[in-house]
Amino acid sequence: LYGPSETTLAKMFFRIEENVFQENQIIPLGGAISNAAIILLNAKNEQARVGELGEICIKTPFRSKGYFQDDAMTAEKFIQNPLHNDFDDIIYRTGDFGKLFPDGIIHYVGRKDSLVKIRGNRVEISEVEKTISDQPGVKQSVVVPIKNKQGNINLAAYIIAEKDDQTETLKELLKVQLPDYMIPAYIIEMDAFPVNLNGKIDKKSLPKPEESLYESVKYVAPVSALQIQLSEQ
């Protein structure tokens, strides 16, 4: 079942058959339940075509009226259906993105804030996470975008591996399965991910890639006269 609180929960469903899905495969969202309609809006606020990325919008008579004492957020999320102006037709923008497959089933792609542009290419972070999690020896992964001082975005992957020192092996495997711009610039191995009060991964508490790199470098004391002189500056 899929649906946000703003539309009084479940508005889509998918019936799961036995032995159909592989490990780490994302279950499709399916289709709308009764008294609900699902609209996928592309970047032009038009109905997304089959296979085209679109934001999931929900039309239902059971939606909430808005956010308490937050008119700006209400106006942003509860909008007039852009597909027509014949009458008042309010739909809710979920902030989730999906794709419609030829069989009429909608598949989840990721959150609005999980789509980033790297070197002019649109990257779906959830796709990178899934590819990493599918690799042998990787138990769990999370990928976050990192913006450098020049404003360019790189990806940092945090993994929980079955054994230590999986970074180089993982990089080689990813080179075969992902284009260069989707391969994380940093891969950090961790024993466990930090979680928030809801039990979800707290991405803000993940160590910065630079911090992890420094932690992995062992301190070597200066030896020569020049090294000692430089260390004292």
Side-chain angles (χ1 to χ4, degrees):
L1 299 174
Y2 165 89
S5 300
E6 290 86 345
T7 59
T8 58
L9 302 180
K11 290 296 174 283
M12 300 177 68
F13 80 100
F14 182 82
R15 192 179 302 281
I16 301 175
E17 305 294 343
E18 293 185 22
N19 303 320
V20 174
F21 298 99
Q22 300 175 356
E23 186 176 359
N24 294 321
Q25 184 175 351
I26 298 176
I27 306 298
L29 300 181
I33 66 171
S34 59
N35 285 318
I38 306 300
I39 302 171
L40 291 181
L41 292 179
N42 62 20
K44 298 179 180 179
N45 264 355
E46 299 172 345
Q47 179 73 52
R49 300 182 299 274
V50 172
E52 183 182 11
L53 188 70
E55 183 176 1
I56 299 171
C57 300
I58 300 174
K59 175 182 176 180
T60 174
F62 305 111
R63 63 175 172 81
S64 59
K65 293 183 177 181
Y67 298 99
F68 182 63
Q69 295 184 349
D70 195 338
D71 294 339
M73 179 69 76
T74 298
E76 177 186 346
K77 294 291 189 178
F78 295 87
I79 65 168
Q80 167 67 26
N81 186 346
L83 302 183
H84 74 85
N85 287 306
D86 299 333
F87 53 88
D88 288 343
D89 187 17
I90 303 300
I91 61 175
Y92 173 71
R93 306 190 75 134
T94 65
D96 290 330
F97 280 80
K99 289 182 179 180
L100 178 66
F101 278 51
D103 58 3
I105 298 298
I106 294 176
H107 289 240
Y108 178 78
V109 173
R111 288 289 299 170
K112 189 174 184 178
D113 53 8
S114 73
L115 300 172
V116 296
K117 272 198 172 182
I118 300 178
R119 302 178 212 165
N121 300 282
R122 196 170 197 175
V123 175
E124 300 162 4
I125 291 180
S126 59
E127 182 179 346
V128 181
E129 286 181 342
K130 180 182 182 304
T131 302
I132 294 175
S133 295
D134 284 343
Q135 304 311 309
V138 177
K139 297 168 65 176
Q140 191 176 3
S141 74
V142 60
V143 177
V144 297
I146 303 292
K147 184 177 290 188
N148 60 24
K149 294 180 180 179
Q150 291 73 38
N152 299 318
I153 292 178
N154 291 311
L155 297 180
Y158 300 81
I159 66 169
I160 297 176
E162 294 178 357
K163 57 182 180 180
D164 296 335
D165 301 323
Q166 292 290 295
T167 302
E168 293 305 318
T169 301
L170 181 57
K171 284 183 178 179
E172 293 303 314
L173 291 171
L174 294 179
K175 286 179 181 179
V176 181
Q177 301 178 47
L178 293 174
D180 181 64
Y181 61 86
M182 291 179 68
I183 297 176
Y186 311 94
I187 298 179
I188 299 101
E189 296 184 34
M190 300 183 68
D191 295 327
F193 294 145
V195 295
N196 56 29
L197 293 176
N198 295 323
K200 296 181 179 180
I201 296 174
D202 186 358
K203 294 184 179 181
K204 293 182 180 180
S205 297
L206 290 167
K208 296 291 187 293
E210 293 83 0
E211 296 173 359
S212 298
L213 290 175
Y214 290 138
E215 288 174 359
S216 64
V217 177
K218 295 182 179 179
Y219 173 73
V220 178
V223 178
S224 68
L226 178 58
Q227 290 176 345
I228 294 174
Q229 182 182 357
L230 289 172
S231 68
E232 292 175 347
Q233 300 299 316

